[in-house]
Amino acid sequence: MKIDIAVAETVPDEAFARIERLAKGLPSADSSFRDAEIIVRRTPMDIVQTMVTDDDYSRQKLVEIMVEQALKGGHDSLFGAL
């Protein structure tokens, strides 16, 4: 299974680093992602900050929610200081 997380070039480096940490830790934290190849990459995007692509719609939506929380960071995020 391959999950692609595209992050806009305009997203701050600190937020991008949180998304990378999320992607790195997810396979060991949740058995649903154990065999997942999760790719995080920068890309030029004008309308949205992030885009998640996965063959499994439910898993894709879950990752989208987690990425949005990682973008927030700090006390505003469900993850705290991820």
Side-chain angles (χ1 to χ4, degrees):
M1 110 186 56
K2 180 179 174 182
I3 301 169
D4 181 61
I5 303 172
V7 181
E9 293 170 339
T10 56
V11 168
D13 290 340
E14 183 179 299
F16 184 77
R18 285 193 301 271
I19 294 168
E20 286 184 310
R21 286 192 298 275
L22 170 69
K24 183 177 180 181
L26 199 52
S28 61
D30 186 329
S31 61
S32 302
F33 298 95
R34 183 168 294 136
D35 297 323
E37 175 188 4
I38 304 175
I39 299 166
V40 180
R41 61 186 173 85
R42 290 272 195 184
T43 189
M45 292 192 287
D46 295 330
I47 298 173
V48 295
Q49 289 187 310
T50 62
M51 183 171 31
V52 177
T53 307
D54 188 342
D55 292 338
D56 182 291
Y57 181 77
S58 297
R59 194 174 49 227
Q60 176 179 322
K61 289 300 174 189
L62 178 59
V63 173
E64 287 174 358
I65 291 167
M66 290 189 280
V67 167
E68 287 299 316
Q69 289 299 310
L71 274 175
K72 289 181 184 180
H75 299 293
D76 292 338
S77 172
L78 293 174
F79 298 122
L82 180 67

